[in-house]
Amino acid sequence: MEDNDETCVISEIKTKTHQCFESRKHANCLLDIIGHSETNSKTVLLACIRSFHKLFTKYLSSGELFLDIPSDLKDTDLTKEEKYKGWLKERYKDVVTRLIQLLHHENPNIRELSLCTLMKFVLEEGQLPVAKHTPSRTHFPLALFRRVVHSLTSESIDLSALIGRFQEYLAYDDVRYHLMRILHKQIASKAQGPLTDVYLNNILMLLEQISFTSVGSENSEELHHFLTKYPESENALKVKSLDEQKKVFTNLWIDFLQLKLPNSVYKRVLINLHDNVMPHLTNPLYLSDFLTASYDVGGAISLLALNSLFVLVHKHNLDYPDFYEKLYALFEPSVLHVKYRARFFHLCDLFLSSTHLPAAMVAAFAKRLARISLTAPANALVITIPFIYNLINRHPNCKVLINKDTPTELLEDPYSQEEPDPVKSRAIESSLWELKTLQSHFHPDVAKKAQRIDQPLSKEEIPLGDLLETSYNDLYAKDTRKKVKHSPMNFNLPKGIMGLPSDKLNLCWTLE
């Protein structure tokens, strides 16, 4: 469609929208606007959605869509008013169907405006329903809301950005409750079948939007911020109860975690679990099986499961005697190269902070880290050496590792790196000769940090916060900020344009 044609169509849509506002005799203009919404033109589509928003917000708020007709009443017995409302209600269904389709449109602006319009309809229907309800039923427009949620959980289209826009509506306690119920039923119905990565990503994105942090006091028994009015019924009491909502939240997450999750979704779950999920579960220990299984996977998955598992052990009395053995097994050379290296060392610093840990165990961690540091990149050594220093400073019994006289040529190290139990590794009988080796490292910062171990230990630990995210770019930037008077570029001063006298190029060419 050309620009001139689009301008004419948009002008026509605005005119017919205004006519629909003026009088019912122009109601057929709705059919023309709905017809224009089938176009491929983005600007025309946006104009149609804005028109739908204006018109049906008015119809819903004024009660023009409310129709309560007995099922046994014939069309011939209807009044003109009832026929008009029936016709208008059919057009409303057409508009809702079209907006649901547009949630999957390629243009993000059309998707977002369609979602906002649909949720505006949900809000208006909640205030003034389009059909009569029995006293025991809620006024919440569940049928319309369910269609919106099902569309957001597409199996083929990634709707992460659109779902992020959906978060503002979850400030309503009843919207959050009904979203959780719909997702729970949906996951339960699809648990046995194959699920696409896109579908699981959309589901997780919706789960990540659910929060109880804005609800208020944890001790409050009843919720009050609703989109709709609720009668005093058993169903309504469940919506108003914070405990009931947390039960649904717990069941929803447990069922979701039982699905076969791709690595990308699996990692996102573990990253957010301890902060955004566990505090709102009725009992965080329900996650014990999932987290212990994740901890046994190895690699980045085990690393990311550390925090949540430690919370269960530390705050919820989970009996997990092999925790430190599994943590010790993660100290491999690969851990210094992973994306979550900073997170790993931050957590390990927390886990090894207790002064009640056996000295033999702490010595094993220090020794293991020193050993893998021999092949570590320079930006990782900026973290590992202060980490070892803090371990020894924190546990004075481990000073024996640096006070031993290390011979110039070490023929045998009593430490057994293959021993899975850190206490039995005999690290306490060894010494940190690896740090002596790193004192000759090519990078001056690394060598300087390694030399600090020869000095008397200070009472204060080295803060790791600023070091955890150190990269090669940071090291390079630090070196380039140093002021150097002369920067040597060659060992021998070149003579002439042909370079050094020994340059092979001189054998082929001469300059006259």
Side-chain angles (χ1 to χ4, degrees):
M1 186 181 295
E2 297 181 358
D3 292 343
N4 291 335
D5 294 337
E6 289 181 352
T7 303
C8 293
V9 172
I10 293 172
S11 178
E12 179 187 345
I13 292 171
K14 291 180 180 179
T15 301
K16 293 190 174 183
T17 302
H18 183 68
Q19 290 175 346
C20 290
F21 271 114
E22 286 183 339
S23 174
R24 288 185 178 182
K25 66 181 181 180
H26 299 297
N28 282 331
C29 292
L30 264 176
L31 297 174
D32 297 329
I33 300 173
I34 294 173
H36 286 310
S37 69
E38 300 297 331
T39 182
N40 293 324
S41 171
K42 297 174 184 177
T43 54
V44 173
L45 273 175
L46 289 171
C48 290
I49 298 171
R50 294 189 186 99
S51 175
F52 295 151
H53 186 280
K54 292 178 182 178
L55 290 172
F56 285 96
T57 297
K58 171 183 175 293
Y59 295 147
L60 286 166
S61 61
S62 63
E64 287 186 73
L65 284 174
F66 178 79
L67 184 63
D68 183 27
I69 301 176
S71 57
D72 57 346
L73 194 65
K74 298 179 180 179
D75 292 344
T76 54
D77 299 330
L78 298 177
T79 64
K80 289 184 178 180
E81 179 71 12
E82 290 172 337
K83 288 181 179 179
Y84 167 74
K85 287 189 174 183
W87 177 87
L88 194 61
K89 197 170 182 179
E90 291 299 318
R91 303 293 73 76
Y92 177 61
K93 292 180 180 178
D94 295 338
V95 167
V96 168
T97 299
R98 183 56 180 152
L99 290 174
I100 291 291
Q101 294 171 352
L102 292 177
L103 290 178
H104 293 175
H105 196 275
E106 60 181 9
N107 185 276
N109 294 330
I110 292 176
R111 289 182 184 179
E112 184 175 331
L113 189 56
S114 298
L115 176 64
C116 293
T117 303
L118 286 166
M119 291 307 297
K120 180 65 175 178
F121 293 167
V122 170
L123 174 63
E124 294 297 340
E125 279 197 43
Q127 300 298 327
L128 191 61
V130 297
K132 186 177 180 180
H133 291 275
T134 60
S136 62
R137 291 182 60 190
T138 172
H139 291 171
F140 191 88
L142 195 55
L144 173 58
F145 185 67
R146 186 183 292 111
R147 294 182 67 183
V148 174
V149 174
H150 285 176
S151 186
L152 289 176
T153 55
S154 170
E155 296 186 359
S156 57
I157 303 174
D158 184 359
L159 297 174
S160 300
L162 187 63
I163 293 172
R165 182 69 171 81
F166 181 72
Q167 183 182 15
E168 66 179 80
Y169 303 105
L170 295 178
Y172 293 104
D173 297 320
D174 50 351
V175 173
R176 180 179 59 248
Y177 175 79
H178 290 295
L179 172 67
M180 293 189 296
R181 290 290 301 272
I182 292 170
L183 291 179
H184 189 210
K185 290 180 180 179
Q186 190 179 128
I187 290 173
S189 65
K190 295 187 176 183
Q192 303 302 324
L195 301 175
T196 65
D197 292 359
V198 174
Y199 171 78
L200 292 170
N201 183 70
N202 288 332
I203 289 286
L204 178 59
M205 191 66 187
L206 278 170
L207 291 177
E208 290 174 342
Q209 309 307 314
I210 300 173
S211 174
F212 293 92
T213 54
S214 60
V215 170
S217 173
E218 291 288 330
N219 299 323
S220 60
E221 298 180 356
E222 188 171 309
L223 305 175
H224 303 283
H225 188 49
F226 299 119
L227 182 144
T228 59
K229 297 179 181 179
Y230 284 83
E232 294 300 326
S233 64
E234 182 179 354
N235 191 36
L237 291 176
K238 290 182 178 180
V239 180
K240 294 180 179 181
S241 170
L242 178 60
D243 289 339
E244 184 64 30
Q245 291 217 12
K246 289 191 174 183
K247 286 180 183 178
V248 178
F249 180 79
T250 301
N251 294 332
L252 172 59
W253 267 102
I254 290 175
D255 284 0
F256 177 74
L257 294 178
Q258 291 177 355
L259 301 176
K260 186 177 181 180
L261 305 177
N263 274 346
S264 59
V265 174
Y266 204 154
K267 291 176 182 178
R268 278 176 54 196
V269 167
L270 292 172
I271 289 172
N272 298 310
L273 208 57
H274 66 284
D275 279 337
N276 302 326
V277 179
M278 294 178 68
H280 309 307
L281 298 178
T282 55
N283 187 355
L285 289 174
Y286 290 148
L287 299 178
S288 301
D289 292 341
F290 172 77
L291 289 173
T292 52
S294 301
Y295 200 34
D296 292 337
V297 170
I301 297 296
S302 295
L303 189 154
L304 294 174
L306 272 174
N307 205 340
S308 299
L309 191 58
F310 183 77
V311 171
L312 292 184
V313 174
H314 183 62
K315 294 185 178 180
H316 301 281
N317 300 320
L318 175 67
D319 185 17
Y320 193 65
D322 296 334
F323 179 82
Y324 283 98
E325 286 188 22
K326 296 288 180 63
L327 179 64
Y328 182 70
L330 292 178
F331 276 73
E332 295 289 338
S334 60
V335 80
L336 300 177
H337 301 270
V338 295
K339 177 182 178 181
Y340 307 103
R341 181 182 65 195
R343 181 188 181 93
F344 174 73
F345 279 101
H346 169 73
L347 294 176
C348 289
D349 186 52
L350 176 66
F351 303 153
L352 297 171
S353 61
S354 174
T355 56
H356 298 289
L357 293 174
M361 177 181 290
V362 178
F365 278 96
K367 182 68 176 179
R368 181 78 162 248
L369 187 54
R371 182 64 60 86
I372 66 176
S373 294
L374 292 176
T375 57
N379 62 322
L381 293 174
V382 176
I383 305 172
T384 60
I385 296 176
F387 191 94
I388 296 171
Y389 182 91
N390 286 347
L391 285 180
I392 298 174
N393 199 9
R394 195 179 294 156
H395 302 84
N397 290 336
C398 293
K399 290 182 180 179
V400 65
L401 295 173
I402 58 175
N403 291 336
K404 288 180 180 178
D405 294 329
T406 305
T408 307
E409 295 183 3
L410 189 64
L411 301 179
E412 184 180 355
D413 191 338
Y415 168 68
S416 174
Q417 191 170 353
E418 290 73 24
E419 171 59 50
D421 188 346
V423 178
K424 297 179 181 179
S425 65
R426 301 177 63 193
I428 198 72
E429 302 174 23
S430 181
S431 65
L432 292 178
W433 59 265
E434 294 89 352
L435 293 186
K436 289 286 187 180
T437 303
L438 292 174
Q439 290 177 358
S440 302
H441 196 273
F442 75 90
H443 198 283
D445 283 356
V446 174
K448 184 177 179 180
K449 291 182 183 297
Q451 290 167 2
R452 186 171 182 175
I453 210 73
D454 293 336
Q455 302 171 5
L457 294 177
S458 63
K459 295 182 179 180
E460 296 182 359
E461 295 184 5
I462 302 174
L464 298 178
D466 296 336
L467 302 176
L468 293 177
E469 299 288 350
T470 303
S471 64
Y472 265 116
N473 289 337
D474 298 326
L475 295 179
Y476 179 77
K478 183 179 179 180
D479 288 339
T480 54
R481 285 196 297 268
K482 297 178 181 178
K483 294 183 179 180
V484 181
K485 293 183 178 180
H486 302 287
S487 180
M489 303 298 294
N490 207 327
F491 288 104
N492 298 305
L493 184 66
K495 296 180 180 179
I497 197 171
M498 299 302 293
L500 297 175
S502 60
D503 197 330
K504 300 296 182 182
L505 194 61
N506 288 314
L507 302 177
C508 303
W509 303 89
T510 58
L511 293 177
E512 294 181 356

